Amino acid sequence: MTSENSAAGVAEWATKSGSVWARRWRDTDAGLAGLSPHLLAAVKACAPAGPFRAFDIGCGPGTTTIDVAAGCPEAEIIACDVSPDLAEIARRRTADLSRVRVVEGDAQTIAGSEGPFDLFFSRHGVMFFPEPVRAFRSFRNAANAGASIVFSCFQSWDSNPWASELASAAAGTKLPAPGREPSGFAFADPEYVREILRSSGWSAPDPKDVTFDYVAAEGANPVDDALGFFSELGPSSRVLESLPEDQREAAAQRMRAVIEKHFNGTAVVFPAAAWIWSAKAAAS
């Protein structure tokens, strides 16, 4: 990815994409709810004893920030997101937490200006840097001795059918897995992530394998609600947007058939798989 394309991607996230995620944050939280306890446990396991400073990379609507603040009451947390809309939601939701401050902007820059930190954490917010080694090195440079970084990311494309099956249905053909370009699946390969960590000054232990239920929708009209959700967010939404307008209805009906297959009578539930990484700052 060129620097021009990288800047365009960040700009799109800060405006168009971030705005959609902000509007749909309750849906994304519901989808990742099964993962959140595993991530919080990993963060708490790496948290220093006593007061410490922590940094939430790509905080989104602030859900993980809130969880960590409750689980680690002695933590002072700086949370950031490049999307103004998401940062504002996080700011509103954490307004009563005196030890939390939400900052809008690029995590690499903010980490440097607000550090040093004892702990970095992120729920699915680290896969979008155009230069991941540079990004993780910026966090290492803003880390105190012995600091940890804990983050979650999706496993393989095929182990997350909410993405692979639905995007392929929208396209009308089986789609290959995304590559290592910034996306939700950029960190699917553990060896690739391990090399990023090593190259940027972090230890590289094995990640934790977490499988969970991705609850796409529940309530009165879960199939319709899930179709609306995946038509706006995720890989299937990008496939839909790329199609000529006269082909989108047929694509949506193919998506509906997949969603109906995962409807259990009360909710639309897809199997999902993620990695949780916990790394230590390597000695300088």
Side-chain angles (χ1 to χ4, degrees), residues 110-133:
I110 292 170
S113 63
E114 297 283 353
F117 295 99
D118 305 293
L119 178 66
F120 298 80
F121 63 89
S122 181
R123 186 190 73 176
H124 281 43
V126 297
M127 303 98 76
F128 306 97
F129 294 110
E131 298 179 69
V133 172

Side-chain angles (χ1 to χ4, degrees), residues 32-49:
L32 295 174
L35 172 67
S36 294
H38 299 277
L39 179 59
L40 178 59
V43 171
K44 290 174 69 175
C46 292

Side-chain angles (χ1 to χ4, degrees), residues 146-201:
S148 297
I149 187 166
V150 181
F151 60 90
S152 62
C153 56
F154 283 120
Q155 291 189 29
S156 71
W157 177 247
D158 289 337
S159 64
N160 286 281
W162 61 269
S164 55
E165 285 187 16
L166 279 171
S168 295
T173 186
K174 182 173 175 58
L175 295 178
R180 292 173 175 174
E181 66 276 6
S183 78
F185 290 90
F187 280 16
D189 178 5
E191 288 306 314
Y192 174 59
V193 178
R194 187 174 286 109
E195 184 55 35
I196 289 171
L197 290 168
R198 285 176 177 158
S199 298
S200 55

Side-chain angles (χ1 to χ4, degrees), residues 231-252:
S231 295
E232 285 197 272
L233 283 177
S236 54
S237 71
R238 292 188 287 276
V239 174
L240 275 180
E241 189 175 5
S242 73
L243 294 173
E245 192 165 347
D246 61 357
Q247 296 180 22
R248 292 178 186 173
E249 178 57 32

Side-chain angles (χ1 to χ4, degrees), residues 8-33:
V10 171
E12 182 180 0
W13 176 252
T15 53
K16 177 183 175 183
S17 298
S19 295
V20 175
W21 277 75
R23 183 158 40 81
R24 287 285 194 171
W25 73 265
R26 292 178 178 83
D27 299 306
T28 56
D29 268 15
L32 295 174

